[in-house]
Amino acid sequence: MSSAVRRAVVGASIGNAVEWFDFAIYGFLATFIAAHFFPAGDDTAALLNTFAIFAAAFFMRPLGGLVFGPLGDRIGRQKVLAVVILVMSGATLLIGLLPTYTSIGVAAPLLLLGLRCVQGFSAGGEYGGGAVYLAEYADPERRGLTVTFMAWSGVLGFLLGSVTVTVLQATLPAAAMDSYGWRIPFLLAAPLGLVGLYIRLRLDDTPEFTALRTRADIARRPLYEALTTSWRPIMSVIGLFLIFNVGYYVVFTFLPSYLIKTLHHSKTASFVSITLASLVALILILPLAALSDRIGRRPLLIAGSAGFIVLAYPLFLLLNSGSLVAAIGAHCALAAIESVYVSTAVTAGVELFATRVRYSGFSVGYNVCVALFGGTTPYAVTWLTANVGSVIAPAGYLMVAAVLSLGTVLTLPREAGPSPGDLP
């Protein structure tokens, strides 16, 4: 990997890691946020309101994609990536500085909602932009490995967030954690974001976009062009990322609480389980991405989706066996299956679009899928678990999503790859 590509990988990945760091800390600090930003008296209602604000950010992501995607296709990938990390980090910092409900009343949750929406809006330009940037910088023979640093850095950011919160809770007295400790992770996102901004400002734009600008071939209305000429790839991305998102949010968001609330394991056991599952993903994703550069994207996409179809139910039976060791093993196995699919899905998605509309097209498809099937998955699976059954519901949800994504994979070209003249 050349020094230019390494700089591109670091610049693109750090913003994505910050995004997932923020995602993790909000979830792990939900009880503190509920206590400080909503009136006392009904803890359950406060917690539900906290998660409702959390979900609102996901519904802002398509709007962010509609704004930042076309902007990236008009003025360049590097400039937009610099803007989105600044906006995202600034909003995260402000959450850490917000006055509480006891200080300013109803304005506190309203400001929290506004800042979460800003975060979701900026995230709408982050993941798609980073993936496109890496795809257009990568050596064609190592594109899978290069692009998949986006997925890898997301898992890393999530793990760092959960570890940060856990360490603070273990080292600070309960009163200190409740008073100011919960703010520390949000404040940490600011220096991380500034480092990412510094790196991104020093990057050049991608060779593909530079060549497009040199030829004066930049789309004047990239969003319109993407929606009218690339609607099939956009729909393919939505289907492709269905099990990507459902699997991700089941493994990394739903299962930690499932281990505690449904299976009645301790918080420590849940932390150990999610940490080991995250480490499994971190170990597997990049080698599998490199494998996709040798054997193609489709075999891994088929293997990952088929893995969920065949193994989701028996693994949930194992989770419910009563053995903590078996439950952690099943959690790690689900993370491994998710890693197989994640390792190549992002690359397969960005390869479907021509350079002129790649940022717009991929961002629209990806963010629509995240809004519909990302933030809603923990809520949907929790509701189904309570009303259908603790084994059938989450396994069935995974299996249905995997069947739909497998159907999409089978409609892709035999080897999903670049359009003629793009991504040489």
Side-chain angles (χ1 to χ4, degrees):
M1 188 179 291
S2 69
S3 59
V5 175
R6 282 197 298 271
R7 286 196 301 272
V9 166
V10 172
S13 298
I14 193 167
N16 190 52
V18 170
E19 175 189 341
W20 283 98
F21 178 87
D22 166 64
F23 166 82
I25 61 176
Y26 189 96
F28 282 104
L29 293 168
T31 54
F32 294 95
I33 294 170
H36 285 288
F37 287 92
F38 296 96
D42 191 338
D43 293 342
T44 301
L47 191 59
L48 286 172
N49 287 332
T50 301
F51 281 119
I53 289 176
F54 172 75
F58 284 88
F59 292 102
M60 288 297 294
R61 291 178 69 138
L63 180 59
L66 290 172
V67 172
F68 289 119
L71 198 59
D73 282 327
R74 287 201 304 269
I75 69 172
R77 288 68 161 114
Q78 179 264 344
K79 292 184 177 65
V80 173
L81 286 173
V83 170
V84 295
I85 195 172
L86 181 63
V87 173
M88 181 167 54
S89 300
T92 304
L93 170 65
L94 290 175
I95 289 177
L97 298 173
L98 275 181
T100 62
Y101 186 88
T102 56
S103 300
I104 60 173
V106 72
L110 291 177
L111 288 171
L112 178 64
L113 173 62
L115 290 172
R116 283 294 296 168
C117 287
V118 171
Q119 288 179 319
F121 180 75
S122 64
E126 174 62 48
Y127 201 92
V132 166
Y133 190 84
L134 292 182
E136 294 180 353
Y137 240 114
D139 180 333
E141 295 183 357
R142 305 186 70 182
R143 187 181 302 132
L145 175 60
T146 303
V147 173
T148 304
F149 271 97
M150 288 299 293
W152 187 87
S153 63
V155 177
L156 179 63
F158 181 91
L159 179 59
L160 290 175
S162 65
V163 169
T164 299
V165 173
T166 302
V167 169
L168 285 171
Q169 289 180 308
T171 56
L172 288 178
M177 188 68 193
D178 184 64
S179 174
Y180 65 86
W182 66 270
R183 296 182 183 272
I184 294 174
F186 292 103
L187 303 181
L188 289 176
L192 290 174
L194 288 175
V195 171
L197 176 64
Y198 174 77
I199 294 171
R200 286 183 174 182
L201 288 175
R202 293 170 61 86
L203 296 175
D204 297 322
D205 221 319
T206 70
E208 285 294 309
F209 184 81
T210 302
L212 204 68
R213 185 163 47 200
T214 301
R215 298 196 304 267
D217 195 28
I218 294 174
R220 293 186 177 182
R221 294 190 295 170
L223 180 60
Y224 175 80
E225 187 174 323
L227 293 175
T228 54
T229 67
S230 299
W231 62 271
R232 288 183 186 274
I234 290 173
M235 296 302 296
S236 293
V237 167
I238 294 173
L240 191 65
F241 278 84
L242 180 53
I243 188 57
F244 181 107
N245 283 300
V246 169
Y248 198 100
Y249 287 94
V250 166
V251 172
F252 296 106
T253 304
F254 169 75
L255 281 183
S257 62
Y258 182 80
L259 287 167
I260 297 169
K261 295 179 180 179
T262 304
L263 303 183
H264 307 296
H265 294 298
S266 68
K267 290 184 178 180
T268 301
S270 177
F271 172 73
V272 170
S273 188
I274 188 59
T275 300
L276 291 176
S278 299
L279 290 173
V280 166
L282 288 173
I283 291 168
L284 291 179
I285 286 174
L286 294 180
L288 289 168
L291 180 63
S292 79
D293 286 324
R294 298 179 59 189
I295 68 173
R297 320 293 181 218
R298 281 168 57 96
L300 289 170
L301 293 172
I302 292 171
S305 50
F308 277 121
I309 295 169
V310 174
L311 297 175
Y313 185 71
L315 287 174
F316 267 88
L317 286 177
L318 194 61
L319 274 162
N320 284 264
S321 66
S323 166
L324 176 60
V325 174
I328 293 175
H331 194 176
C332 291
L334 287 165
I337 297 170
E338 175 71 359
S339 300
V340 174
Y341 196 88
V342 164
S343 67
T344 191
V346 183
T347 310
V350 296
E351 287 178 334
L352 294 173
F353 297 93
T355 305
R356 284 169 57 91
V357 297
R358 185 170 293 121
Y359 203 150
S360 300
F362 182 75
S363 291
V364 168
Y366 173 77
N367 286 301
V368 166
C369 187
V370 169
L372 295 176
F373 303 107
T376 59
T377 288
Y379 181 89
V381 178
T382 300
W383 185 89
L384 287 170
T385 299
N387 290 276
V388 178
S390 64
V391 177
I392 297 173
Y397 200 79
L398 279 169
M399 292 163 69
V400 170
V403 167
L404 295 173
S405 286
L406 179 59
T408 301
V409 171
L410 296 176
T411 67
L412 297 177
R414 288 298 302 174
E415 179 50 58
S419 305
D422 289 317
L423 291 174

